Amino acid sequence: MKQNPVELIIFDWDGTLFDSVGQIVDSLQFAARAYAQPLTYDAAKGIIGLGLPEVMQALFPGVPDLHHDLLQCYADHYVAHSKNDVWFDGVAELLADLKGQGIRLAVATGKSRRGLDRVLSQTNSHDLFEITRAASETRSKPDPRMLEEILAVTGVEVGNAMMVGDTSYDLEMAQRIAMPRIGVSYGVHTPQILQQFNPLAIVDNVRQLHQLLNQQIQVKQAI
């Protein structure tokens, strides 16, 4: 009898599939400078994965009246300077292989819907993913609402799904609903941070992720 076969793999976007962390940090710091707000590289990097309103609250809690302008400044700078951002090496092959094995694919991201649709078009990947969820249309990570919505739409049981992400927010939201999870260390948070949320494993590059996911699929589907 097959035990908990992997039916659905849910990926974070920035820092997991898409090599965009540096540009996000640059754009956040540009906006901070434009409005004379202090912001270190580490602080800007550490909040990647949250929804944009939550980012503003975390980074600039003392100036709520500036949040709208800061967000607009950030968004304008990011769009203008991120046109050459691409998937990490090996991601296209990874996704094609999983799709070819009949694995259903989804995205759960802290991006806005508008931002996610833009990069899905930029990577020509709308058709790869059965469903995507952006923070602007649900609750921000680490609340597990977006994972629950993905499971509800796909009809997949939590034990037959897997979350892959580079931040504590990704792994915590999966942990909160007992979804199996894998951390990647090449994005935002360190292995030490990711390990706190008891992932099945932490990988250092896309090649390792590809190998591990294939192993998980084979193990889960073994008799």
Side-chain angles (χ1 to χ4, degrees):
M1 181 176 179
K2 295 182 179 180
Q3 300 294 320
N4 292 329
V6 177
E7 299 175 17
L8 171 69
I9 299 177
I10 306 168
F11 292 94
D12 169 59
W13 188 268
D14 294 303
T16 300
L17 297 178
F18 204 57
D19 190 4
S20 50
V21 170
Q23 187 55 58
I24 292 171
V25 172
D26 286 348
S27 296
L28 283 169
Q29 290 190 302
F30 176 86
R33 289 193 300 271
Y35 289 90
Q37 299 300 309
L39 180 61
T40 66
Y41 178 92
D42 287 344
K45 183 180 180 183
I47 52 72
I48 293 173
L50 295 177
L52 289 174
E54 289 74 19
V55 167
M56 292 296 107
Q57 182 57 42
L59 295 181
F60 312 110
V63 288
D65 54 315
L66 290 180
H67 286 181
H68 178 271
D69 292 339
L70 283 161
L71 264 178
Q72 191 61 54
C73 185
Y74 159 77
D76 290 346
H77 188 273
Y78 181 78
V79 170
H81 293 83
S82 64
K83 292 181 175 60
N84 294 322
D85 286 351
V86 295
W87 278 331
F88 288 104
D89 288 344
V91 164
E93 294 80 5
L94 164 65
L95 297 176
D97 182 32
L98 294 173
K99 192 85 170 177
Q101 295 183 65
I103 302 299
R104 301 162 76 179
L105 305 178
V107 169
T109 179
K111 300 182 88 65
S112 67
R113 169 51 61 184
R114 181 179 178 183
L116 178 59
D117 284 344
R118 184 179 60 81
V119 292
L120 286 170
S121 295
Q122 186 172 325
T123 55
N124 194 31
S125 59
H126 280 279
D127 293 341
L128 277 175
F129 302 104
E130 182 171 336
I131 182 174
T132 61
R133 275 292 182 270
S136 62
E137 59 197 7
T138 185
R139 294 181 182 172
S140 173
K141 303 171 186 181
D143 191 295
R145 174 68 64 85
M146 66 174 68
L147 295 184
E148 293 169 339
E149 291 172 350
I150 289 171
L151 294 176
V153 170
T154 59
V156 174
E157 296 294 329
V158 67
N160 299 102
M162 188 171 293
M163 177 70 207
V164 180
D166 67 312
T167 72
S168 63
Y169 316 120
D170 300 313
L171 300 192
E172 181 181 348
M173 73 171 178
Q175 184 183 52
R176 285 168 66 174
I177 59 170
M179 180 181 288
R181 50 208 171 271
I182 292 171
V184 305
S185 66
Y186 53 81
V188 170
H189 286 156
T190 65
Q192 291 75 18
I193 292 174
L194 299 175
Q195 193 62 53
Q196 297 174 48
F197 301 94
N198 299 315
L200 296 173
I202 299 171
V203 297
D204 297 327
N205 54 59
V206 175
R207 180 183 58 79
Q208 290 180 8
L209 177 62
H210 196 162
Q211 292 173 344
L212 178 62
L213 288 175
N214 276 333
Q215 290 169 4
Q216 289 294 318
I217 291 167
Q218 293 164 8
V219 167
K220 290 278 189 177
Q221 293 178 345
I223 296 176

